[in-house]
Amino acid sequence: MLLPNILLTGTPGVGKTTLGKELAARSGLKYVNVGDLAQEGQLYDGYDEEYDCPILDEDRVVDELENQMSEGGVIIDYHGCDFFPERWFHIVFVLKTDNSILYKRLETRGYNEKKLKDNVQCEIFQILYEEALASYSEDIVHQLPSDKPEDLENNINQILKWIEQWTKDHSS
Ligand code: DAT
C-alpha cells in the first residue's frame, strides 16, 4: 500500500514532536525526528559557537533518509525544511504558537536569554512558514495552531482524515 510522507516543521517548541509521535501512534506511519537522527549518526559538519550547537550535515541527513522516504509513510520532524528534496513530501504542516505561550515553553526548556529571544522572533516573523512556502508548492503547505491541547487533538484528527483520503486516492 502506498502511504504519504508528511513534513512537520516550525520554530522549536511549537509542538512538532508531540504531534508527530501521537500521529505516528494513531496512523501507523513512521516518525523520524531529524535532530535525534543527526545525533545518533553524528551527522554534523562543525560547531556553531554563537548558538552553542553542532551544525547539521544536511547532505548526509538527506542520504540517510532517502531510502525510507522513497518507500513512503514517513513523518519528518525538523525546525528547518529548505534542504529536503521537494519531491519527498505530499503535505507540509507548519505549526504555529502564540508568542507568550512559546516563550514559556522554551523557558521551561532552560534556553538562555539569546536563544529564547531568537526563537520567539523566528516565530513572530514566521520564518519557517516563509521557508516552507519558498521550498514547496504553496497548495501543500498548511499552518496549524498549536497553543492548547484541543489544537493538538484537532490537528491529529484533521491529519488522520487527510491520510485516509490520500491513501484511498492512491490505491489502485
Ligand atoms: P517541538 O518538537 O516543536 O520542539 P514539543 O513537541 O517538544 O515541540 O513541545 C514543546 C512543549 O509544548 C512540550 O512541553 C509539549 C508542549 N505542547 C506541544 N503541543 C502542545 C499543545 N497543542 N498544547 C499544549 N502544549 C503543547
Side-chain angles (χ1 to χ4, degrees):
M1 186 170 67
L2 212 52
L3 290 169
N5 290 326
I6 298 173
L7 174 62
L8 301 180
T9 190
T11 309
V14 289
K16 302 178 294 295
T17 306
T18 308
L19 173 63
K21 286 186 172 168
E22 189 59 26
L23 193 60
R26 284 162 64 172
S27 66
L29 266 63
K30 188 179 169 196
Y31 168 78
V32 176
N33 183 307
V34 170
D36 292 348
L37 180 88
Q39 200 186 8
E40 281 155 23
Q42 288 294 297
L43 308 174
Y44 298 131
D45 182 19
Y47 198 82
D48 187 325
E49 299 294 343
E50 191 188 352
Y51 287 94
D52 194 25
C53 64
I55 299 165
L56 199 71
D57 187 331
E58 298 174 345
D59 292 342
R60 282 173 68 209
V61 168
V62 169
D63 287 348
E64 184 73 27
L65 287 168
E66 185 62 59
N67 283 348
Q68 48 184 326
M69 296 310 288
S70 41
E71 276 173 26
V74 183
I75 300 165
I76 293 284
D77 163 353
Y78 196 59
H79 56 266
C81 62
D82 59 358
F83 64 93
F84 300 123
E86 191 182 349
R87 63 186 156 79
W88 275 4
F89 298 105
H90 302 100
I91 199 156
V92 175
F93 295 107
V94 186
L95 273 62
K96 185 181 159 71
T97 301
D98 175 83
N99 305 324
S100 53
I101 298 175
L102 183 66
Y103 189 94
K104 282 189 202 123
R105 286 185 195 167
L106 296 178
E107 214 177 19
T108 311
R109 265 187 193 176
Y111 277 21
N112 65 35
E113 201 54 41
K114 173 167 172 51
K115 217 168 160 184
L116 267 173
K117 212 176 122 201
D118 287 352
N119 279 295
V120 171
Q121 263 186 16
C122 172
E123 186 64 6
I124 292 171
F125 292 114
Q126 304 202 351
I127 302 294
L128 268 305
Y129 183 52
E130 294 296 331
E131 186 174 320
L133 289 176
S135 308
Y136 302 93
S137 167
E138 282 189 19
D139 51 306
I140 70 158
V141 177
H142 306 273
Q143 272 186 309
L144 293 176
S146 184
D147 293 335
K148 45 191 193 296
E150 297 95 281
D151 293 333
L152 175 65
E153 199 53 35
N154 283 341
N155 293 340
I156 291 169
N157 289 332
Q158 269 191 53
I159 301 173
L160 285 173
K161 270 192 207 142
W162 179 85
I163 295 171
E164 196 185 330
Q165 190 59 49
W166 190 95
T167 311
K168 260 189 213 153
D169 293 346
H170 293 80
S171 64
S172 49

